[in-house]
Amino acid sequence: MSWIVSLPCTRAEAEAVSNGSALDALAEPPVVVTREIDQDAGLWQLDAYVDDKPAPALLTMIHALVPSAKGKQPTVDELVEQDWVTLSQQGLEPVQAGRFFVHTSSYADRIPPGTTPFLIDASQAFGTGGHDTTAGCLEMLDRVKRKGTTPRNIADIGTGTGLLAFAAMALWPSARTIASDIDPASIFVTRDNAAINRMPLGRGSGALTLAVAPGTDHPAIRHRAPYDLVIANILAGPLITLAPDIAVATAPGGHAILAGLIARQMEPVLAAYRTQGFRLAARGGSSEWPCLLLVKRRRYGWRRKERAFHRADPADASFGSW
């Protein structure tokens, strides 16, 4: 059995908690989730999941995360064990973004004609297409294709379920594509999803290479650089930190699709990439979750900036290096 502790909160408190809290220092910290329960009224809620019935001290710590709930008693409920994956899949509606139709097994017999479908069931990894960031990236990929761009070398950094890498492969089937994630579980999920969606794995053209890596730090990613297209649907902080590395990995004139940031984080992210020689070519996504298409400027003349990029031995460019 497990338990859930719920309290009302403000949006500001929800955003603050998402960046970490005092609970993280506990030996067995609760899983804390915040969500908007009424968009019109601006009502938010904090839910903390714990394995055992929460002690008063833990309730006090959880209450301290949301000062706006002072004087209100938290709701504490015992959860009955259920098949959460199956339940979550039942609640996932299909998503159509550009030419892509992303669905779970429940909708496998309801694919609209003329779409490019992907079956992505609920899993441990992020990226089922339902979130605005993933849908925005799918639409941006479709937009890049319609403009006539033809990347031959593609990297999906922070791939999650592999969905964006699959979409790129469907658009440019002759390209070489590599997908990486810092979480080994995501790479296992991507491998399984590749089999389900008949996406070939390997190292040649038209195949997908997989790697566990923090950012671009992997021999296979370094060896294949520079890339005509880099996709990074992660978070604003890592996007800013990775700006120099993504700049090195992107070919002059190449594109970068960035997402995972909220609207107020767009300017700091853009500033980090402009410093590295990128310009904003297009903005997509939703008003709250923008998706940015950047182009790396070409450098001409004897003053052009060049940075050495470590070329690993081809033998290091291993597939599925977990």
Side-chain angles (χ1 to χ4, degrees):
M1 295 292 183
S2 57
W3 296 74
I4 179 173
V5 180
S6 301
L7 279 165
C9 67
T10 65
R11 176 173 177 169
E13 289 167 341
E15 292 178 352
V17 169
S18 68
N19 292 324
S21 70
L23 296 175
D24 297 334
L26 297 177
E28 296 182 2
V31 176
V32 178
V33 178
T34 57
R35 57 195 174 96
E36 189 173 22
I37 59 175
D38 189 329
Q39 186 174 13
D40 294 333
L43 299 178
W44 287 69
Q45 181 170 301
L46 178 146
D47 297 321
Y49 296 85
V50 294
D51 292 333
D52 302 310
K53 186 174 182 179
L58 179 58
L59 291 176
T60 299
M61 292 184 68
I62 295 172
H63 216 150
L65 300 177
V66 285
S68 64
K70 184 178 180 180
K72 297 180 181 179
Q73 288 296 319
T75 301
V76 181
D77 293 313
E78 189 174 14
L79 298 175
V80 178
E81 293 294 335
Q82 299 192 61
D83 185 349
W84 292 109
V85 171
T86 300
L87 290 175
S88 63
Q89 287 177 191
Q90 292 173 351
L92 284 176
E93 295 292 325
V95 173
Q96 187 156 357
R99 71 189 70 194
F100 302 108
F101 182 77
V102 187
H103 63 94
T104 63
S105 300
S106 303
Y107 291 85
D109 58 347
R110 285 173 275 179
I111 299 172
T115 61
T116 301
F118 291 111
L119 195 165
I120 306 290
D121 278 328
S123 68
Q124 294 174 282
F126 175 80
T128 58
H131 196 278
D132 284 354
T133 60
T134 310
C137 288
L138 290 171
E139 292 172 350
M140 190 63 76
L141 284 166
D142 189 50
R143 182 173 181 172
V144 171
K145 173 68 175 181
R146 285 187 281 105
K147 282 183 168 290
T149 303
T150 309
R152 298 179 180 178
N153 197 17
I154 302 169
D156 180 15
I157 307 300
T159 193
T161 61
L163 173 59
L164 297 181
F166 302 158
M169 293 174 69
L171 293 173
W172 300 285
S174 298
R176 299 177 71 202
T177 306
I178 187 167
S180 69
D181 202 286
I182 194 172
D183 184 0
S186 290
I187 296 303
F188 283 108
V189 168
T190 297
R191 183 192 61 186
D192 293 342
N193 284 336
I196 292 168
N197 290 281
R198 299 181 179 179
M199 291 291 167
L201 300 178
R203 288 184 285 181
S205 298
L208 178 64
T209 302
L210 302 177
V212 174
T216 62
D217 188 14
H218 190 280
I221 299 174
R222 293 194 295 265
H223 175 70
R224 287 187 175 212
Y227 297 92
D228 307 306
L229 174 62
V230 176
I231 308 162
N233 179 20
I234 41 180
L235 294 170
L239 283 175
I240 292 172
T241 301
L242 288 173
D245 294 334
I246 289 178
V248 172
T250 306
H255 293 77
I257 295 176
L258 308 181
L261 59 149
I262 58 178
R264 63 181 175 81
Q265 298 167 329
M266 187 175 74
E267 285 306 320
V269 170
L270 280 175
Y273 283 81
R274 285 182 177 126
T275 301
Q276 300 299 325
F278 286 89
R279 64 175 177 84
L280 178 64
R283 173 186 167 165
S286 66
S287 58
E288 185 174 3
W289 296 94
C291 178
L292 309 179
L293 176 65
L294 308 183
V295 177
K296 185 177 177 183
R297 298 180 186 276
R298 298 181 184 274
R299 302 283 187 173
Y300 299 100
W302 66 274
R303 291 184 181 273
R304 68 182 182 273
K305 295 181 179 179
E306 295 182 357
R307 295 178 62 184
F309 202 100
H310 172 66
R311 291 283 182 175
D313 187 278
D316 292 337
S318 56
F319 154 67
S321 55
W322 52 77

